[in-house]
Amino acid sequence: LQFLRITGRGSSVTSDEMNDCLAQVITNTDGARNVGNAVLYEAVRTINAIESDGSLQSLAVNTLSRFLSTTRDNNIRFVALNSLLSVVVKNPEVAREHLLTVVECLKDADGSIRQMSLRLTIALIDDSNVRIVVPDLISYLYSCSDDTRGEVASQICDVILNKAPSPEWRAEMALQLFSAGGRHIPETFALDFIAYVTQGSQEVQSAAVVGSWEDLSNNQDASLYQRDSFLVTAMWCLGEFPQLVVDTGSCTAKKLLTVITDVASGTPSTALKNYGLNAVMKLATKYPELNDAALDVFHMYATSLDCELQQRALEYITLLEDFPELAQFTFREMPPIELVSEDALMQELRVDVLSGEAAEEAVHRPHTTGGGMWDDMFGAAPASPTTSNQAQAKPAASNNLDDLFGSASPAAAAPRGSSKD
């Protein structure tokens, strides 16, 4: 089998001649013992390496799937998952037929099996199966170990961002991920979600705001304050679109302000406290009956030891008490946020750096007119050839300080010789 793999690689003619032989090997080999499993494994490797036809590739993938579903030996299951991962690169559609079998391996007790299954599952996700697989991945997030939860959450974030079949589904899955991932959800995902909500339809905004309110109001425990990314999203959405929960009767404006104030007071993060103050200010400008309650909150933070919180609270007090119309104008609903990709940002930065280098080179470039940069800027006449020649004819020992303060040149300061000399 190893010899066939070497001779058939890259040759369609040779591969066609050995297709029947490989099919018979897989069909007639007994996989009840390790020897048979070793033969089947080598046959599958050979089929993946040569230019085999589609039916033979399907037979090889079916063999690997049988390893996963019927064998309890973790070594064989790991090898099968690794082999399927190599099949995805060559023929993903054939491997995608066994996605549910791979997803079941996420429940395995062995950590290496779960990790390999996760890699394979992420590789097999496309538009046709993303609705089925992502909820299973989020459920897996609850059971995975704490040291791998961050990596798993990051991969699920990428799937939701790049392969969402609909805006409503993306909002729903993002909120579920915030709940399951806890403190492991990256803050960049929260910021991307906020921008997405501002650009979405009213249905998307309503799903995000109502889901944030339900999670925030029903989970007032210590674990809530470890979910920084969710709290950023929840306080921003509830401050920006409070009418989506107030007007529908889900809660009152007073209750909304109380919950946001309690969360801001309970979190140790200064950034989250700032988000909370912003949300309270937006509520006060949209619901004038909350002005007194909002001012009480701001007066509490006006004596904070944190300079940023103190300054912000005092500014909001001034706006509400002295400039209410300006406050309403300043804290009106924001326009859609457009995020700039990292590649575009780096390209813009690269252009700015190149422009700066070109400008610096122009500043330091010698001028052929003999006048220098300052003469060119202020319109001074270029130096005449005679002046240039005279400047070149000056002695090299001339002292710059003497020239600056008007002292006599060394030649003029030298003692005159006698008439006889």
Side-chain angles (χ1 to χ4, degrees):
L1 289 171
Q2 293 177 0
F3 176 76
L4 293 179
R5 183 162 63 247
I6 295 173
T7 57
R9 182 181 285 112
S11 174
S12 58
V13 176
T14 307
S15 299
D16 290 339
E17 295 177 353
M18 62 180 70
N19 280 340
D20 293 339
C21 175
L22 292 172
Q24 292 180 13
V25 170
I26 288 185
T27 304
N28 299 327
T29 301
D30 183 12
R33 297 184 178 182
N34 287 337
V35 175
N37 290 330
V39 173
L40 290 174
Y41 173 65
E42 290 297 333
V44 170
R45 290 186 62 193
T46 302
I47 292 172
N48 292 335
I50 67 175
E51 304 297 325
S52 56
D53 56 21
S55 60
L56 193 59
Q57 291 179 8
S58 297
L59 186 60
V61 174
N62 290 338
T63 302
L64 295 175
S65 178
R66 189 167 65 250
F67 284 162
L68 295 176
S69 58
T70 62
T71 306
R72 293 293 95 192
D73 190 333
N74 285 338
N75 293 326
I76 296 177
R77 288 160 63 83
F78 184 87
V79 168
L81 288 171
N82 192 34
S83 300
L84 275 175
L85 198 58
S86 63
V87 173
V88 172
V89 179
K90 187 176 182 180
N91 197 342
E93 294 302 326
V94 176
R96 211 166 266 129
E97 297 174 359
H98 304 273
L99 177 60
L100 295 181
T101 304
V102 176
V103 172
E104 284 298 318
C105 295
L106 291 173
K107 305 174 184 178
D108 196 276
D110 188 273
S112 60
I113 298 294
R114 294 198 307 267
Q115 187 175 5
M116 182 62 70
S117 177
L118 176 66
R119 290 178 55 193
L120 185 55
T121 302
I122 296 296
L124 291 175
I125 292 178
D126 64 356
D127 296 338
S128 64
N129 55 37
V130 64
R131 291 180 181 271
I132 302 173
V133 178
V134 170
D136 289 332
L137 291 177
I138 295 177
S139 298
Y140 167 68
L141 196 58
Y142 283 104
S143 60
C144 65
S145 59
D146 194 66
D147 55 339
T148 61
R149 190 168 295 172
E151 180 183 357
V152 176
S154 179
Q155 294 186 16
I156 300 176
C157 288
D158 293 338
V159 173
I160 293 176
L161 288 176
N162 301 320
K163 299 181 180 180
S166 68
E168 293 78 9
W169 182 90
R170 177 174 173 177
E172 180 184 355
M173 290 298 106
L175 291 173
Q176 292 185 19
L177 183 60
F178 281 129
S179 178
R183 61 185 177 86
H184 299 281
I185 304 300
E187 187 177 354
T188 54
F189 181 76
L191 299 179
D192 287 337
F193 182 69
I194 288 174
Y196 184 74
V197 170
T198 62
Q199 300 171 6
S201 61
Q202 186 173 0
E203 289 76 13
V204 174
Q205 295 173 355
S206 178
V209 174
V210 173
S212 298
W213 167 249
E214 292 177 351
D215 195 352
L216 191 66
S217 58
N218 295 330
N219 296 301
Q220 294 285 338
D221 53 7
S223 63
L224 177 67
Y225 300 103
Q226 298 179 359
R227 301 162 55 191
D228 288 354
S229 296
F230 167 71
L231 291 178
V232 167
T233 303
M235 288 196 286
W236 193 94
C237 290
L238 293 173
E240 189 68 21
F241 308 108
Q243 69 278 4
L244 297 180
V245 289
V246 174
D247 296 347
T248 58
S250 300
C251 71
T252 62
K254 176 65 176 177
K255 175 67 174 178
L256 188 59
L257 185 141
T258 302
V259 171
I260 292 177
T261 303
D262 292 342
V263 172
S265 301
T267 179
S269 171
T270 301
L272 288 177
K273 291 181 184 294
N274 284 323
Y275 274 99
L277 291 181
N278 287 341
V280 170
M281 187 64 178
K282 281 182 171 290
L283 287 173
T285 55
K286 292 180 180 179
Y287 300 98
E289 65 272 14
L290 298 179
N291 277 8
D292 293 338
L295 286 172
D296 292 339
V297 176
F298 297 145
H299 280 295
M300 179 178 63
Y301 283 96
T303 57
S304 173
L305 297 179
D306 188 281
C307 294
E308 184 177 357
L309 289 174
Q310 183 184 121
Q311 179 180 353
R312 182 163 299 190
L314 292 173
E315 290 171 352
Y316 290 171
I317 291 172
T318 303
L319 282 173
L320 280 181
E321 292 181 343
D322 300 336
F323 307 98
E325 294 181 357
L326 179 60
Q328 291 183 358
F329 174 79
T330 304
F331 289 89
R332 68 191 188 280
E333 190 172 304
M334 290 182 61
I337 301 173
E338 295 184 5
L339 291 179
V340 180
S341 64
E342 185 176 354
D343 294 338
L345 189 62
M346 292 301 297
Q347 180 65 24
E348 183 179 353
L349 181 61
R350 191 178 298 109
V351 171
D352 292 341
V353 170
L354 292 177
S355 301
E357 291 177 352
E360 185 177 358
E361 182 181 355
V363 168
H364 295 288
R365 185 183 300 120
H367 293 264
T368 57
T369 58
M373 180 182 66
W374 302 113
D375 294 340
D376 294 342
M377 290 179 61
F378 296 105
S384 62
T386 304
T387 307
S388 300
N389 293 336
Q390 290 175 356
Q392 295 177 359
K394 287 184 179 181
S398 177
N399 193 323
N400 291 334
L401 291 176
D402 293 340
D403 295 340
L404 183 63
F405 293 104
S407 301
S409 64
R416 294 178 181 271
S418 62
S419 58
K420 293 180 180 181
D421 296 337

